Amino acid sequence: MPALLRHTAERAKGFMPPDEGQALYELGCLYGSRGPMAEIGSYCGKSAVYLGAAAREAGTVLFTVDHHRGSEEIQPGWAHHDPTLVDPRFGRMDSLPFFRTTIATADLEDVVVAVVGASATVAGHWHTPLGLLFVDGGHSEDPVTRDYEGWAPHVVPGGVLIFHDIYPDPAEGGQAPYRIYRRALEEGFKEVRVTGSLRALEKV
């Protein structure tokens, strides 16, 4: 991965360790030739830099889907809340300006397309087959289930579905993404890579 893009990704606000980001980049380079890529849950653009760099390398594009009002775990009162992301005009989270700054700084605006809206709403009108799908939106039961059910059918055979924050041990993290990951393994996906909490599953 180009050093400047790696530096930009690592400096962006977000929760992805560098080794998992590098794995995203490598998976994007591998599967991006099989169709456009989509990311569900963009926050401030950290993971979009890794995937956007891969999209450029693979000659494709990355669609990033996020309402940018923040998932449950980054709202006020939660451990991951960042008060600098609150728009004082409305008293609500707004990560979109930070996302746009990150992507512009990385010079990836030609290959990263921001889709601003609720994942389930966008999925209901989506018809483009995907070579890669990265699910990293809300981590409680309902959001992760909707993300999987709404988007996984669009992954082409031979494409890849990637989950973040998969923790088999409940002591390490929430279990909703893990349960959906297990469901995907039962519904036509096979695991091809594990890096930290990142799981990559190829569609059979």
Side-chain angles (χ1 to χ4, degrees):
M1 183 175 178
L4 179 60
L5 291 179
R6 183 191 305 278
H7 179 68
T8 301
E10 291 178 358
R11 291 191 63 187
K13 291 177 182 289
F15 310 102
M16 177 159 291
D19 62 332
E20 295 179 8
Q22 177 66 24
L24 268 186
Y25 170 74
E26 292 172 3
L27 288 163
C29 289
L30 178 62
Y31 289 94
S33 62
R34 305 179 191 188
M37 302 189 286
E39 169 187 74
I40 312 304
S42 307
Y43 195 46
C44 296
K46 180 185 285 287
S47 55
V49 174
Y50 291 111
L51 288 173
R56 178 171 289 162
E57 182 73 21
T60 188
V61 295
L62 167 69
F63 295 97
T64 68
V65 181
D66 198 316
H67 49 57
H68 288 281
R69 294 301 187 188
S71 55
E72 182 181 51
E73 58 269 20
I74 64 172
Q75 299 301 324
W78 289 72
H80 296 298
H81 176 63
D82 182 346
T84 67
L85 270 65
V86 176
D87 186 334
R89 297 171 299 174
F90 306 106
R92 300 177 66 191
M93 300 289 290
D94 188 0
S95 57
L96 182 57
F98 297 84
F99 172 86
R100 294 200 64 173
T101 296
T102 298
I103 301 306
T105 301
D107 193 26
L108 290 172
E109 290 179 307
D110 58 324
V111 292
V112 176
V113 181
V115 180
V116 181
S119 168
T121 301
V122 178
H125 299 274
W126 189 268
H127 303 289
T128 301
L130 299 170
L132 179 151
L133 172 64
F134 177 45
V135 176
D136 192 24
H139 287 57
S140 55
E141 199 75 40
D142 287 346
V144 72
T145 300
R146 288 196 300 268
D147 288 345
Y148 173 72
E149 292 179 349
W151 290 95
H154 297 293
V155 178
V156 300
V160 69
L161 165 63
I162 307 171
F163 289 104
H164 194 217
D165 296 319
I166 300 301
Y167 301 109
D169 183 353
E172 296 181 353
Q175 293 298 286
Y178 177 67
R179 284 191 287 271
I180 295 300
Y181 151 79
R182 295 296 306 173
R183 175 179 167 183
L185 289 173
E186 297 171 357
E187 295 182 349
F189 290 87
K190 66 175 182 179
E191 190 166 87
V192 293
R193 180 162 180 171
V194 175
T195 304
S197 71
L198 204 72
R199 300 289 188 275
L201 287 67
E202 187 172 295
K203 190 170 187 178
V204 178

